[in-house]
Amino acid sequence: MDNEHTPQIITHIEHNMNHCLFDCKWIPCSAKFVVIGSLPKGTGILEIFEITSGELKKVKEIERPVSFKCGTFGASSDVERRLATGDFKGTLEIWDLEKSCQVYITKEHTDIINSIDGMGGNIVNCGAPEIVTGSRDGTVKVWDPRQKGKPVANMQPAQGETRRDCWTVAFGNSFNDAERIVVAGYDNGDLKMFDLRTMSLRWECNLKNGVCFTEFDRKDIPMNKLVATTLEGKFHVFDVRTQNPSKGFAQVLDNSAKSGTIWVARHLPQNRDVFITCAGNGQVSLWKYKYPEQRFQVDSTGVAVGVAGKLQRLQRMVISSQPINALDWNRDHAGLAVATAYDQYVRVLVTTKLNLQ
């Protein structure tokens, strides 16, 4: 695996926090990041760190009565840099981190918000700023932070159907002011794609294991690839350019990892074909997706069928003794990432030679 062009994953900084960590996000256009977690007494805490001279310096913390679970800057501009958070009671809040105050709060979920994603905050001509949340109450809700109170869209099971725990949500296909898609993964292995323009279920499948994380390689282009990670060390990469009416999307499955649950998969902002997976045994793996010569074929009935590519593992490294539950790449510096794990450490990672991939 190792040669002169092989990327290396280096743990640059390790910092012990002594409490439970759930998520981490770089603050846009800065050398700071926010760590989202829970103190032993059950309160939630946001901590902002700055990298100075190779060390972490805590610059601010915000504590509140309920544990935080997840956060995103996606629906905020790079000027305002407002963090949207979901907590264990089902409350969505938006924070002005400069003033340490809430600018938006709503509680429409009846249980923990497991996952959150944002879109439209800092990219022109890709639709309104919106936030999507997925909860244990079985619902997926889309919010416009400019409108107080109720969600602008609510995806939930029909009356009488079993409500499954929604573990992950992600935006995609937001390449103009009209198109936008939400993908949601559930504890029973269901993966559902909702079209927000037509307000319909566009596609669904079952991955046979609980879906832990899902992400498009880019949110602001016509949807290209989608990765979905599951329990039992598996992840699926779907080519979502070509949808066949009966077969759906072409996919490639990797189940080579004997590393437990794949908790997270994050695409490199500077190269959409490179992504990292974070596993239950503390291992991070760097992958490259290789496209086939032709991305679709036409079958005997004249309908296009997608062709899946191949996966190449570029590197792997065990960086933690416990599952890595969150990772965020830095938009401005290729290869710089922050990660949290259940060993209560936050780590700053540096991945080299990504420009050669």
Side-chain angles (χ1 to χ4, degrees):
M1 183 181 283
D2 282 9
N3 62 42
E4 61 184 83
H5 299 309
T6 303
Q8 301 298 322
I9 301 168
I10 300 158
T11 303
H12 178 49
I13 304 171
E14 278 188 316
H15 184 76
N16 183 249
M17 303 285 279
N18 285 325
H19 60 80
C20 204
L21 312 176
F22 293 116
D23 204 356
C24 54
K25 289 285 182 289
W26 288 101
I27 298 175
C29 308
S30 77
K32 300 186 184 81
F33 58 85
V34 59
V35 178
I36 296 164
S38 165
L39 294 175
K41 58 186 175 182
T43 57
I45 188 163
L46 302 174
E47 293 170 282
I48 298 173
F49 289 90
E50 186 171 27
I51 301 174
T52 51
S53 305
E55 293 184 350
L56 291 188
K57 176 186 165 194
K58 189 194 288 190
V59 294
K60 186 174 286 190
E61 66 176 55
I62 302 169
E63 190 179 342
R64 62 179 294 279
V66 180
S67 295
F68 293 109
K69 180 64 172 68
C70 50
T72 181
F73 285 99
S76 177
S77 73
D78 287 349
V79 177
E80 290 187 320
R81 300 189 290 193
R82 289 176 173 172
L83 177 71
T85 59
D87 72 12
F88 276 67
K89 291 281 179 73
T91 309
L92 168 68
E93 294 162 290
I94 300 177
W95 295 86
D96 184 329
L97 297 176
E98 296 280 333
K99 299 176 183 173
S100 303
C101 65
Q102 298 161 336
V103 294
Y104 181 98
I105 181 167
T106 181
K107 187 180 184 304
E108 291 289 319
H109 287 291
T110 57
D111 211 330
I112 178 174
I113 295 175
N114 288 314
S115 180
I116 189 169
D117 195 17
M119 185 65 213
N122 56 16
I123 305 165
V124 181
N125 298 328
C126 69
E130 285 181 333
I131 295 164
V132 60
T133 52
S135 168
R136 186 182 290 165
D137 64 15
T139 65
V140 174
K141 299 182 191 293
V142 178
W143 314 82
D144 186 333
R146 302 167 302 178
Q147 299 178 24
K148 303 292 183 188
K150 298 291 184 184
V152 294
N154 184 17
M155 288 74 88
Q156 62 184 27
Q159 200 165 0
E161 287 185 10
T162 308
R163 287 178 176 263
R164 305 303 313 199
D165 190 347
C166 179
W167 281 354
T168 177
V169 289
F171 277 126
N173 203 47
S174 188
F175 60 92
N176 62 26
D177 287 336
E179 298 285 345
R180 189 164 288 174
I181 271 174
V182 166
V183 168
Y186 298 83
D187 65 336
N188 63 340
D190 281 349
L191 185 65
K192 297 178 186 282
M193 182 180 284
F194 302 102
D195 190 324
L196 296 183
R197 183 176 63 84
T198 60
M199 284 295 177
S200 61
L201 178 65
R202 177 162 172 174
W203 170 77
E204 64 179 331
C205 69
N206 188 281
L207 302 183
K208 299 181 181 173
N209 285 294
V211 183
C212 303
F213 195 88
T214 184
E215 184 184 67
F216 286 96
D217 59 354
R218 288 285 181 274
K219 299 179 190 180
D220 57 344
I221 61 172
M223 57 181 185
N224 184 53
K225 297 195 307 296
L226 172 73
V227 64
T229 72
T230 72
L231 306 176
E232 297 190 15
K234 297 175 184 171
F235 67 89
H236 305 247
V237 180
F238 296 89
D239 186 322
V240 287
R241 268 296 152 87
T242 307
Q243 182 176 2
N244 183 275
S246 57
K247 296 177 181 175
F249 299 110
Q251 63 162 307
V252 55
L253 164 68
D254 182 272
N255 57 4
S256 61
K258 301 292 181 270
S259 50
T261 299
I262 307 290
W263 285 79
V264 181
R266 301 304 299 259
H267 291 87
L268 190 69
Q270 295 82 7
N271 182 350
R272 70 185 184 192
D273 300 326
V274 174
F275 64 97
I276 198 166
T277 57
C278 305
N281 66 348
Q283 179 175 283
V284 291
S285 300
L286 194 68
W287 302 86
K288 183 171 185 180
Y289 182 86
K290 297 199 161 182
Y291 294 98
E293 287 186 9
Q294 287 187 303
R295 292 184 64 178
F296 69 92
Q297 296 173 339
V298 178
D299 64 14
S300 56
T301 60
V303 180
V305 181
V307 178
K310 292 184 174 151
L311 291 169
Q312 175 191 0
R313 179 158 38 206
L314 301 174
Q315 187 56 275
R316 57 182 164 185
M317 182 73 62
V318 174
I319 63 167
S320 167
S321 59
Q322 295 289 327
I324 302 157
N325 57 3
L327 183 140
D328 192 38
W329 291 110
N330 189 294
R331 260 178 26 206
D332 303 314
H333 301 283
L336 183 63
V338 60
T340 56
Y342 283 127
D343 63 358
Q344 300 186 350
Y345 275 83
V346 60
R347 293 173 174 85
V348 177
L349 308 176
V350 176
T351 305
T352 64
K353 300 180 183 170
L354 290 171
N355 57 319
L356 302 177
Q357 303 311 312

